[in-house]
Amino acid sequence: MNRIHLVVLWHMHQPQYRDPETGCYVLPWTRLHATKDYYGMVKMMEDVPGFHATFNMVPSLCMQLEEYASGSFKEPWFQLAFKHADELTREDKAEILARAFQVNHERLLTRWPRFLELYDWSRAAGGAQALITFRARDWRDLQLLSQLAWMEEAWFTKDPVVSRLANRGKDFTEKDKSDLMAKQMELLGLVLPAYREAAARGQIELSTTPYYHPILPLVCDSDIARVANPGTPLPRRAYRHPEDAREQLRRAKEYHERVFGAKPVGLWPSEGSVSDQAMAIAAEEGFQWFGTDEGVLGRTLNVGFFRDSSGIAASADRLYQPWRLQMATTGITGLFRDHHISDLVGFVYSRMDSKTAAADLHGRLRYIGDNVKSEKPLTLCIFLDGENAWEYYPGNGREFLREFYQRIAGDTDFRALTASEAIAAAGDISATSTIFPASWINANFDVWIGHQEDVSAWDLLWDAREAYGKALEARAKGRENAPTQEALKQAQESLLTAEGSDWCWWYGPEHSTANDAEFDALYRK
């Protein structure tokens, strides 16, 4: 078979959940994914030292991890989850009922019969009955289990405190809650050092994303959305701020170097979103490679990567190689994910036995190596979110990943490489002078600008950006009542945050969550 250079990239990302006015974390997902996913995903790499991978660390995530690790954060749900049960007010209890069950029911909630029991009891009368009938014991158990469900998988067997609580499963004390809170804080402090250590020993490469996860092509020119979809509704005034795109990239570089000790050479542009203008800026800022989806490459080359009945893509030899985007004065190399294989990991293998799923994935990759003709090794890329899939897997996906890593590391026809290693090992790299402007979702930008709600969000952002520009001008000209330098700095921070992709992810018909209203309020602030 053809040798396969396998590039696995885990994209680690959360939006900025901190309210700019109060400094409180409105939503807890950074903390909860930190204790359940971020540490374990890189720590388990130690078990298979021959498997190399790339982890994309979004600055807006890492800056929150730093604050959580410092212990100086303010997060109402954290405080409420560990508040003494005898001191809970009626409002506290209503909030616990609203928050505690926002967890995968099949894999996480039902892991503890007591958690499921409390859920069933809480459903009566829309939770109103629980407010009256739950005793202190019930509230304590619900508080603790709502946090225990989000703990690192390995700690359920290896950590004495977490394993003790998990095995007991009910009838917790206030001391048990204090012990778990201490373990959460310990785990939060381990996350970023674990990535630095793995990168230092050469097993992983750390790449980055524009600071607040903006869709760079749309920040550069929102009208670019019409190239991929001529019917896309557009804001009445085009949002054109390539200087902001450059600022997002520069901040990402500087932050990454400070936290991880080295400048990033790789870029996962938010949501795999690319355009000639955005990638030219990235190349000018020193980035050497970027990643995106096969759909973008297909539209760039005007070919289709349609699978036959055996799963082999048409024009597969063109898909399974890096491509050099060579522009007039600069260039940058692109890696393109196998959409089909990546989606199997993200959405299908969670429904299979872990070892069977890992064997199926390994077998599919071997089949590609056996049947795709090429004169050089195939560079096959699996890129996906590094946290969201695992709550759907038994055991948080750890057995599946470990089994898959070991199979690949033990197969001499494979080399599991970091992105930079794979590009260096690829030999001669084909080139293109342009790249199709699109994201990794349907090779267009519809999720972020394809609906009237999205357009309204861009119009609000345009107004805010215009007001900021006028304030800058007033300050530069020394006008009376011009904003202070500190006020301008805070305003710029809010604007860059509002340019992030996550707000428009929840606008429009494609996605929804129990937290839609909170996302909307946070965006407006």
Side-chain angles (χ1 to χ4, degrees):
M1 64 173 277
N2 261 328
R3 195 170 203 191
I4 290 181
H5 292 169
L6 181 65
V7 182
V8 174
L9 181 147
W10 300 118
H11 173 54
M12 303 303 200
H13 165 56
Q14 294 292 334
Q16 175 55 275
Y17 292 117
R18 183 152 37 80
D19 186 308
E21 186 177 16
T22 66
C24 289
Y25 282 93
V26 174
L27 293 168
W29 306 124
T30 295
R31 174 176 60 87
L32 296 178
H33 279 295
T35 57
K36 187 176 80 70
D37 299 302
Y38 295 134
Y39 174 73
M41 281 293 289
V42 69
K43 189 66 176 176
M44 70 173 295
M45 300 286 293
E46 295 177 3
D47 297 340
V48 194
F51 193 100
H52 289 196
T54 303
F55 285 82
N56 187 72
M57 307 300 289
V58 178
S60 61
L61 163 67
C62 295
M63 65 187 292
Q64 294 177 81
L65 292 175
E66 279 194 294
E67 186 170 8
Y68 274 111
S70 75
S72 62
F73 63 92
K74 293 188 292 183
E75 188 211 298
W77 175 225
F78 175 82
Q79 295 163 352
L80 187 55
F82 293 107
K83 186 175 180 179
H84 198 292
D86 291 335
E87 299 174 359
L88 294 173
T89 66
R90 185 180 180 88
E91 291 73 21
D92 291 339
K93 293 173 180 178
E95 184 74 5
I96 290 172
L97 292 174
R99 297 283 185 194
F101 302 115
Q102 289 186 21
V103 63
N104 181 280
H105 285 208
E106 180 184 4
R107 298 297 186 191
L108 301 183
L109 187 143
T110 59
R111 188 172 192 165
W112 290 277
R114 174 65 166 153
F115 203 2
L116 179 60
E117 179 182 67
L118 291 166
Y119 173 74
D120 289 339
W121 290 354
S122 73
R123 297 304 89 191
Q129 185 171 313
L131 292 175
I132 301 171
T133 61
F134 272 20
R135 296 170 295 165
R137 167 182 176 262
D138 300 317
W139 293 113
R140 266 194 304 272
D141 284 0
L142 184 53
Q143 286 173 295
L144 190 141
L145 288 168
S146 72
Q147 303 304 300
L148 188 64
W150 292 88
M151 288 301 289
E152 160 56 32
E153 185 68 25
W155 285 27
F156 287 130
T157 56
K158 295 181 180 180
D159 183 85
V161 171
V162 176
S163 61
R164 170 173 58 82
L165 297 175
N167 290 331
R168 187 192 304 168
K170 62 181 180 179
D171 296 325
F172 300 112
T173 66
E174 292 299 330
K175 184 179 184 306
D176 290 333
K177 284 163 55 181
S178 296
D179 290 345
L180 183 60
M181 182 173 69
K183 281 296 169 182
Q184 277 207 4
M185 294 308 303
E186 178 185 346
L187 193 46
L188 288 167
L190 295 173
V191 178
L192 291 178
Y195 285 92
R196 287 194 293 266
E197 291 162 9
R201 68 175 181 265
Q203 190 178 3
I204 71 169
E205 177 178 0
L206 296 173
S207 58
T208 193
T209 290
Y211 199 80
Y212 282 113
H213 207 267
I215 304 296
L216 282 187
L218 298 181
V219 172
C220 289
D221 182 359
S222 57
D223 283 359
I224 198 75
R226 280 276 171 90
V227 176
N229 180 0
T232 295
L234 294 174
R236 64 183 185 276
R237 302 150 303 186
Y239 197 86
R240 293 192 179 113
H241 290 284
E243 70 277 18
D244 286 7
R246 191 179 296 274
E247 179 69 13
Q248 297 265 14
L249 287 168
R250 285 180 174 172
R251 287 189 178 210
K253 281 193 312 176
E254 292 167 1
Y255 179 83
H256 191 99
E257 185 175 15
R258 178 180 70 77
V259 172
F260 298 114
K263 290 181 180 179
V265 299
L267 179 73
W268 175 255
S270 317
E271 306 293 355
S273 296
V274 296
S275 67
D276 287 342
Q277 186 178 16
M279 290 303 96
I281 295 172
E284 290 164 5
E285 291 300 320
F287 289 99
Q288 298 174 22
W289 65 262
F290 69 92
T292 187
D293 186 69
E294 66 176 50
V296 175
L297 180 63
R299 298 196 75 171
T300 298
L301 303 179
N302 198 27
V303 299
F305 298 120
F306 307 106
R307 268 65 177 177
D308 62 21
S309 59
S310 66
I312 299 296
S315 304
D317 59 320
R318 306 181 80 180
L319 170 60
Y320 298 134
Q321 61 171 301
W323 284 82
R324 177 78 173 171
L325 175 57
Q326 189 61 54
M327 294 160 282
T329 59
T330 189
I332 187 171
T333 300
L335 292 169
F336 300 86
R337 74 193 284 258
D338 184 306
H339 192 111
H340 176 66
I341 296 291
S342 298
D343 277 359
L344 288 177
V345 178
F347 305 109
V348 176
Y349 286 137
S350 59
R351 300 194 293 270
M352 298 169 61
D353 170 78
S354 296
K355 291 192 175 182
T356 303
D360 183 83
L361 178 54
H362 179 215
R364 287 174 183 269
L365 298 179
R366 282 201 62 85
Y367 189 81
I368 290 171
D370 285 333
N371 290 277
V372 175
K373 305 305 179 186
S374 177
E375 296 180 357
K376 52 187 179 182
L378 306 178
T379 302
L380 194 152
C381 300
I382 299 176
F383 301 165
L384 69 154
D385 288 345
E387 70 274 278
N388 291 325
W390 311 123
E391 64 191 80
Y392 298 92
Y393 277 74
N396 211 37
R398 296 297 188 266
E399 184 181 5
F400 164 76
L401 288 173
R402 188 172 290 105
E403 179 75 15
F404 176 62
Y405 289 171
Q406 289 172 343
R407 283 177 169 271
I408 296 298
D411 190 331
T412 56
D413 290 320
F414 284 80
R415 293 178 68 194
L417 304 174
T418 68
S420 291
E421 289 172 341
I423 291 169
D428 294 335
I429 296 178
S430 302
T432 176
S433 61
T434 188
I435 193 159
F436 191 84
S439 78
W440 71 339
I441 299 181
N442 300 322
N444 58 41
F445 298 112
D446 285 4
V447 169
W448 300 276
I449 203 166
H451 185 270
Q452 188 53 51
E453 285 185 1
D454 303 318
V455 171
S456 296
W458 283 98
D459 282 336
L460 288 172
L461 185 63
W462 193 98
D463 290 338
R465 187 62 177 78
E466 182 76 0
Y468 172 69
K470 290 179 179 177
L472 276 179
E473 181 183 3
R475 176 74 182 179
K477 293 183 176 180
R479 291 176 183 160
E480 188 177 355
N481 297 324
T484 65
Q485 199 62 44
E486 180 61 26
L488 287 169
K489 180 180 177 182
Q490 291 178 3
Q492 184 186 34
E493 202 71 32
S494 278
L495 275 168
L496 294 175
T497 308
E499 286 177 347
S501 71
D502 297 277
W503 319 112
C504 285
W505 176 268
W506 299 112
Y507 295 138
E510 299 93 350
H511 306 110
S512 184
T513 172
N515 305 123
D516 281 356
E518 288 157 304
F519 272 104
D520 183 53
L522 197 51
Y523 176 73
R524 291 174 185 276
K525 280 197 174 184

